[in-house]
Amino acid sequence: MNRTQFEAARKFVTTPSGRISYVEFGNGPAAVFVHGVIVNAWLWRQQLEDLSDLRRCIAIDLMGHGATKIAPDQDVSFDAQADMLLQLADALGLDQIDIVANDSGIGVAQVFAARNPTRVRSLVLTNGDVHDNWPPKDFSGFLDMVAAGGLPDTLRHMLEDKNFYRGPDAMAGAYENPQAVSDETIEAYVLPHLTSPERTNDLVRFITGFDHAQTVRVEAELKQLKAPTLVAWGTDDPFFPVKWAYWLKNTLAGPVTVEEFPGGRMFFPEERAGLLNPLIRTHWQSAS
């Protein structure tokens, strides 16, 4: 799928949280894909293409990301993102949804599922924020830079020098093969954050508002959550060790299946879609 095809499938829905952007392919029961920090719905392009015969695949742009537009004072916490996800489901007439999530998106997914268990048909959770393991310790330098006001210049540097984006001072830790990330993908992720100072500040607010109290708070509800869950985890992630995959398995009421991706890192759903997508397909078929 190229960017032209992807953008042709973009839609918007107005909610109390803002004008939420999403990209949709396919028909049938709805599956909602939730990305993490800095990236956007483009992360899921291969899933949208490969799985649209089985589901109405909807990849959203979180508040503060992609083409979603929000008010300058709109709350962008995980709690608020979960509220937005419910508003979007209601606006689109989605009774139950399958959720597929990565990075910060799995934190949002946990909060949503804990609050709205009857709305969740199944979950697929990949490397990301779990319980009190976020923001990750190895992310502290990036957080300090953002707090010091350096994000606008860093984003511009990522865009002007794509190898900086791929490098150890930026996003290399999120990828197994950072040098393989295309210029097109870097532009798809970074450009929306630089369309205006307000859009950049939305991302600043998202990052500086990280607080794992939001996911810790829903632990009791997660222990009651019976939605079938696939936990797919890259084992070489410097931010989210594989032990957190098993924390989810031991916490969620289940049934929960853990699949390890040896050597995979945070963005393995993009890098190893050819291996992940068949697992999602089987999981959905079993959940149905």
Side-chain angles (χ1 to χ4, degrees):
M1 182 187 302
N2 59 39
R3 288 284 291 165
T4 300
Q5 294 169 311
F6 185 83
E7 291 300 329
R10 185 177 298 281
K11 300 179 180 180
F12 295 88
V13 62
T14 299
T15 73
S17 297
R19 187 170 184 253
I20 309 305
S21 169
Y22 65 99
V23 176
E24 179 179 337
F25 283 82
N27 299 287
V32 177
F33 294 77
V34 189
H35 65 83
V37 66
I38 293 184
V39 302
N40 52 53
W42 178 247
L43 178 80
W44 302 110
R45 60 198 179 278
Q46 297 171 87
Q47 284 74 31
L48 299 187
E49 187 171 33
D50 290 353
L51 299 170
S52 59
D53 63 313
L54 191 62
R55 289 290 190 270
R56 177 185 176 188
C57 294
I58 299 168
I60 66 169
D61 287 341
L62 288 174
M63 295 186 292
H65 294 76
T68 287
K69 295 183 179 180
I70 58 174
D73 60 349
Q74 169 62 44
D75 185 0
V76 291
S77 67
F78 284 19
D79 287 340
Q81 303 279 4
D83 288 342
M84 177 274 288
L85 185 54
L86 179 61
Q87 293 162 10
L88 178 138
D90 286 344
L92 297 182
L94 310 179
D95 180 24
Q96 279 197 318
I97 57 176
D98 301 288
I99 301 178
V100 182
N102 177 251
D103 187 24
S104 303
I106 83 165
V108 175
Q110 289 168 73
V111 174
F112 176 87
R115 291 179 178 175
N116 308 283
T118 63
R119 303 294 291 270
V120 181
R121 185 183 304 107
S122 74
L123 289 167
V124 177
L125 304 176
T126 67
N127 295 50
D129 300 346
V130 178
H131 200 247
D132 62 358
N133 184 51
W134 70 277
K137 294 178 181 178
D138 286 351
F139 203 60
S140 60
F142 188 83
L143 293 174
D144 291 343
M145 176 275 293
V146 173
L151 186 60
D153 285 343
T154 297
L155 291 171
R156 282 190 287 268
H157 193 181
M158 288 178 177
L159 198 59
E160 293 164 1
D161 179 1
K162 306 295 194 301
N163 283 327
F164 173 73
Y165 176 98
R166 302 177 182 106
D169 294 327
M171 300 297 289
Y175 294 96
E176 184 179 1
N177 297 297
Q179 293 307 312
V181 182
S182 69
D183 288 359
E184 177 185 52
T185 288
I186 295 170
E187 291 171 1
Y189 292 154
V190 178
L191 267 174
H193 298 302
L194 292 171
T195 54
S196 71
E198 292 77 18
R199 296 298 307 281
T200 307
N201 192 55
D202 290 340
L203 180 59
V204 170
R205 294 190 299 111
F206 180 78
I207 294 170
T208 57
F210 283 173
D211 180 2
H212 64 237
Q214 298 166 91
T215 44
V216 171
R217 190 160 50 234
V218 299
E219 181 177 358
E221 289 79 7
L222 293 179
K223 289 180 177 179
Q224 303 301 316
L225 186 66
K226 297 180 180 179
T229 302
L230 170 63
V231 180
W233 216 266
T235 65
D236 197 31
D237 191 331
F239 307 116
F240 304 115
V242 72
K243 69 177 183 179
W244 291 100
Y246 292 94
W247 186 95
L248 289 166
K249 179 176 176 61
N250 293 331
T251 301
L252 299 172
V256 181
T257 300
V258 175
E259 294 282 354
E260 294 186 16
F261 284 70
R265 295 198 170 192
M266 185 167 65
F267 289 157
F268 86 87
E270 182 176 67
E271 292 189 287
R272 298 201 195 178
L275 296 176
L276 175 62
N277 293 355
L279 294 177
I280 297 175
R281 177 180 294 275
T282 299
H283 177 63
W284 284 348
Q285 290 170 333
S286 298
S288 297

